[in-house]
C-alpha cells in the first residue's frame, strides 16, 4: 500500500473536548449507578467524600454516600450535558471501593484516561499458587509493579482478587496482557523486556510502518523436569485372534504323571518320601553351616628375617684415639694455640708496668 494513501494522525493532536454547545438541551432521562464498599474503606471515604462531590459537581453529577448500607451512588442532574460523564463517575466509585486513593481516582474524569479492573481470583485453582503469582506481579519491594507503571504510564493497584489499572488506553491493553500472562505462569520480566524494546523502537519514525517482530525477543518455555519413568513398564503384547491355551488342572497333571492311577496308600507313601528327602537336604545344609565354625583358618607363611650384614669392618684403634683426645680437652676450654698467645700478651703487660 502506498504511504500517501494511509491515514496518519499528526503528532500532538488531541480530540476536542465535549462542551455544552455540543449538547445544549441536556439529557432526557436520569441515570444512576451504585456500588458497595468494604467496611475498612469507610473511614477513608468519610474524609475524601467532600473532594469527590466537588470533582463530580464540575461535571454536574450528584454523589451520595450511604454509611448504613455501605454503598456509593452517582446520579445525573438536569444540568448534565455530557452523556459519558455518568460512566466516568461509575468508574470513579468502583475504583474508590477497590482501595485506589482519590489522588489517582479523580484522573478518570479526563478524556484521555480510562480504567480497567482485571479479575484474577478465578484464573488459578490452588490458593498457594495464586498468592505466589500475585507476589511475582508485585516483585521485590514492588519493583516489578513500578517498572510496569513507568513503561505503560498507568497507575496499577493489586488488591485481593483484582488488579485495578488507571491510565491511557494503550497502556491498559499492555497491563491486562502482563497480568494475565503472570497468572498463566509467564514471568512479568519477559513482558517488561518486550515493552522496553517497543518503547525504543517507537522513537524511530522510519520504523512506524514496519513490522517489529524481528526486534522483539522470543522466549521459549523449557520444561526442565522430565517425567520419571516407572520401574515396571507394561508392554502391550501382540494381538492374536486365537485365545490363550487353557491351563492344566491338577487332575490333568496327575494323569500325565500317572499318579492318578495309584492307590491312596501309595500316594501317601510317595508324599512321605518327598517330605523326608526335603528334610534330609535341610539337615545336611544346617550341619554344613555348623561345621564351618570348626574349620581352622589358613595360616600365613612365616617370613624369614634377614640378618644384619657384618661385611663392614670397624676400626677400633681410631675410636680409641678419639676417646683419648676427648678426655684431654675440658668442656669450654680454649685450644692450645690461643692459650699460648694469651700467656704472651699477659707477660708483655707485666714488663711495661
Amino acid at each position: 500500500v502506498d504511504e500517501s494513501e494511509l491515514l496518519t494522525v499528526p503528532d500532538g493532536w488531541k480530540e476536542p473536548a465535549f462542551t455544552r454547545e455540543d449538547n445544549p438541551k441536556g439529557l432526557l432521562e436520569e441515570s444512576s449507578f451504585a456500588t458497595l464498599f468494604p467496611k475498612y474503606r469507610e473511614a477513608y471515604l468519610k474524609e475524601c467524600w467532600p473532594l469527590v462531590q466537588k470533582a463530580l459537581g464540575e461535571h454536574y453529577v450528584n454523589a451520595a454516600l450511604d454509611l448504613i448500607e455501605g454503598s456509593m451512588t452517582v446520579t445525573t442532574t438536569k444540568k448534565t450535558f455530557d452523556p459519558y460523564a455518568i460512566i466516568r463517575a461509575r468508574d470513579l466509585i468502583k475504583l474508590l471501593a477497590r482501595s485506589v486513593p482519590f489522588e489517582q481516582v479523580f484522573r478518570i474524569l479526563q478524556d484521555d484516561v480510562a480504567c480497567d479492573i482485571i479479575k484474577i481470583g478465578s484464573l488459578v485453582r490452588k490458593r498457594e499458587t495464586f498468592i505466589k503469582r500475585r507476589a511475582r506481579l508485585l516483585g521485590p519491594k514492588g519493583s516489578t509493579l513500578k517498572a510496569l507503571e513507568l513503561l505503560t504510564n498507568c497507575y496499577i493497584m493489586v488488591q485481593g482478587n483484582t488488579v485495578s489499572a488507571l491510565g491511557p488506553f494503550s497502556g491498559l491493553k499492555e497491563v491486562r496482557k502482563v497480568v494475565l500472562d503472570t497468572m498463566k505462569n509467564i514471568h512479568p520480566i519477559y513482558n517488561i523486556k518486550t515493552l522496553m524494546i517497543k518503547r525504543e523502537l517507537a522513537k524511530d519514525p522510519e520504523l512506524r510502518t514496519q513490522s517489529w517482530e524481528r526486534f522483539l525477543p522470543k522466549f521459549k518455555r523449557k520444561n526442565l523436569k522430565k517425567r520419571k519413568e516407572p520401574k515396571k513398564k507394561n508392554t502391550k503384547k501382540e494381538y492374536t485372534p486365537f485365545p490363550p491355551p487353557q491351563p492344566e488342572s491338577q487332575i490333568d497333571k496327575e494323569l500325565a504323571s500317572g499318579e492318578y492311577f495309584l492307590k491312596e496308600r501309595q500316594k501317601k507313601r510317595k508324599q512321605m518320601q518327598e517330605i523326608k528327602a526335603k528334610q534330609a537336604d535341610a539337615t545336611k545344609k544346617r550341619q554344613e553351616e555348623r561345621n564351618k565354625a570348626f574349620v581352622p583358618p589358613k595360616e600365613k607363611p612365616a617370613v624369614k628375617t634377614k640378618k644384619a650384614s657384618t661385611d663392614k669392618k670397624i676400626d677400633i684403634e681410631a675410636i680409641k684415639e678419639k676417646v683419648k683426645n676427648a678426655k684431654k680437652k675440658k668442656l669450654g676450654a680454649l685450644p692450645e694455640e690461643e692459650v699460648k698467645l694469651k700467656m704472651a700478651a699477659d707477660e708483655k703487660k707485666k714488663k711495661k708496668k
Side-chain angles (χ1 to χ4, degrees):
V1 181
D2 190 11
E3 288 185 8
S4 60
E5 294 179 7
L6 294 171
L7 183 66
T8 55
V9 179
D11 294 332
W13 181 85
K14 284 185 179 181
E15 193 174 347
F18 193 84
T19 58
R20 185 171 283 281
E21 292 173 2
D22 298 319
N23 187 17
K25 293 181 181 180
L27 304 175
L28 183 65
E29 293 288 338
E30 185 184 280
S31 301
S32 65
F33 289 102
T35 186
L36 299 172
F37 60 86
K39 187 73 177 173
Y40 62 85
R41 290 291 289 169
E42 188 176 321
Y44 181 78
L45 290 172
K46 267 186 188 179
E47 290 178 9
C48 71
W49 198 249
L51 298 170
V52 174
Q53 286 179 324
K54 187 182 177 182
L56 291 174
E58 291 175 3
H59 295 268
Y60 304 103
V61 177
N62 285 337
L65 179 67
D66 190 349
L67 296 174
I68 298 164
E69 191 182 343
S71 66
M72 292 179 283
T73 312
V74 288
T75 54
T76 56
T77 60
K78 291 179 179 179
K79 291 182 179 180
T80 310
F81 61 88
D82 187 0
Y84 201 73
I86 189 65
I87 304 296
R88 292 199 186 109
R90 179 201 64 183
D91 293 340
L92 185 141
I93 58 172
K94 269 189 183 180
L95 292 169
L96 279 173
R98 294 187 184 277
S99 300
V100 180
F102 178 75
E103 289 79 10
Q104 295 290 337
V105 166
F106 81 95
R107 288 170 53 213
I108 195 72
L109 300 172
Q110 298 172 14
D111 287 340
D112 56 344
V113 178
C115 75
D116 190 10
I117 295 165
I118 308 155
K119 293 180 181 179
I120 57 173
S122 60
L123 297 175
V124 184
R125 287 184 181 181
K126 290 183 181 178
R127 184 69 183 170
E128 293 175 2
T129 313
F130 168 72
I131 291 162
K132 283 180 184 176
R133 290 182 187 176
R134 188 178 64 183
R136 194 185 294 169
L137 183 65
L138 294 168
K141 296 180 181 179
S143 58
T144 308
L145 198 69
K146 189 68 182 172
L148 198 61
E149 284 180 351
L150 291 168
L151 289 167
T152 56
N153 296 323
C154 292
Y155 175 82
I156 305 164
M157 182 74 183
V158 181
Q159 176 76 7
N161 295 333
T162 57
V163 177
S164 305
L166 183 75
F169 293 98
S170 58
L172 292 174
K173 189 180 177 183
E174 296 293 343
V175 169
R176 178 171 275 274
K177 184 180 179 297
V178 174
V179 170
L180 294 177
D181 283 353
T182 306
M183 289 295 125
K184 290 175 186 175
N185 202 20
I186 298 168
H187 204 280
I189 195 69
Y190 299 134
N191 286 311
I192 286 168
K193 281 184 179 178
T194 308
L195 287 170
M196 288 170 74
I197 293 163
K198 282 181 178 178
R199 193 177 188 179
E200 292 298 318
L201 292 169
K203 292 175 183 177
D204 192 352
E206 293 179 2
L207 295 170
R208 281 187 179 180
T209 55
Q210 296 178 15
S211 177
W212 292 353
E213 288 294 325
R214 55 199 172 104
F215 301 109
L216 300 176
K218 293 176 183 178
F219 301 105
K220 291 182 180 179
R221 294 182 73 179
K222 294 179 181 179
N223 293 327
L224 298 175
K225 289 182 181 179
K226 291 183 179 179
R227 182 176 168 271
K228 290 182 180 178
E229 293 182 358
K231 291 180 180 179
K232 292 180 182 179
K233 291 183 179 180
N234 296 326
T235 53
K236 287 186 177 180
K237 294 177 182 179
E238 291 182 5
Y239 173 74
T240 53
F242 306 105
Q246 193 174 0
E248 290 184 352
S249 64
Q250 190 67 26
I251 296 166
D252 292 338
K253 289 176 183 177
E254 287 179 0
L255 285 168
S257 60
E259 289 179 20
Y260 186 77
F261 303 103
L262 294 174
K263 293 179 181 179
E264 286 294 324
R265 287 181 183 177
Q266 290 173 335
K267 283 181 182 179
K268 285 181 181 178
R269 195 184 301 147
K270 193 176 180 182
Q271 285 175 359
M272 288 300 293
Q273 285 174 359
E274 287 175 358
I275 291 163
K276 283 178 181 178
K278 285 180 181 178
Q279 287 175 351
D281 289 338
T283 50
K284 190 179 179 181
K285 285 178 182 178
R286 256 187 266 119
Q287 197 64 36
E288 285 175 0
E289 288 291 328
R290 286 174 187 168
N291 292 337
K292 279 181 183 178
F294 301 104
V295 176
K298 291 181 180 180
E299 293 182 358
K300 293 179 180 179
V303 181
K304 293 180 180 180
T305 54
K306 292 180 181 180
K307 291 181 179 179
S309 58
T310 54
D311 298 338
K312 293 178 180 179
K313 291 180 180 180
I314 300 164
D315 195 353
I316 297 166
E317 292 178 2
I319 293 166
K320 284 179 180 178
E321 286 179 8
K322 283 181 181 179
V323 171
K324 283 178 183 179
N325 292 331
K327 283 180 180 179
K328 286 177 184 178
K329 287 181 180 180
K330 291 180 181 179
L331 287 167
L334 295 166
E336 290 179 3
E337 292 176 359
E338 288 184 10
V339 171
K340 286 177 183 179
L341 289 168
K342 202 171 186 182
M343 291 285 286
D346 291 338
E347 284 177 4
K348 283 178 182 180
K349 284 179 183 178
K350 285 179 183 178
K351 284 178 183 181
K352 284 180 181 179
K353 287 178 180 179

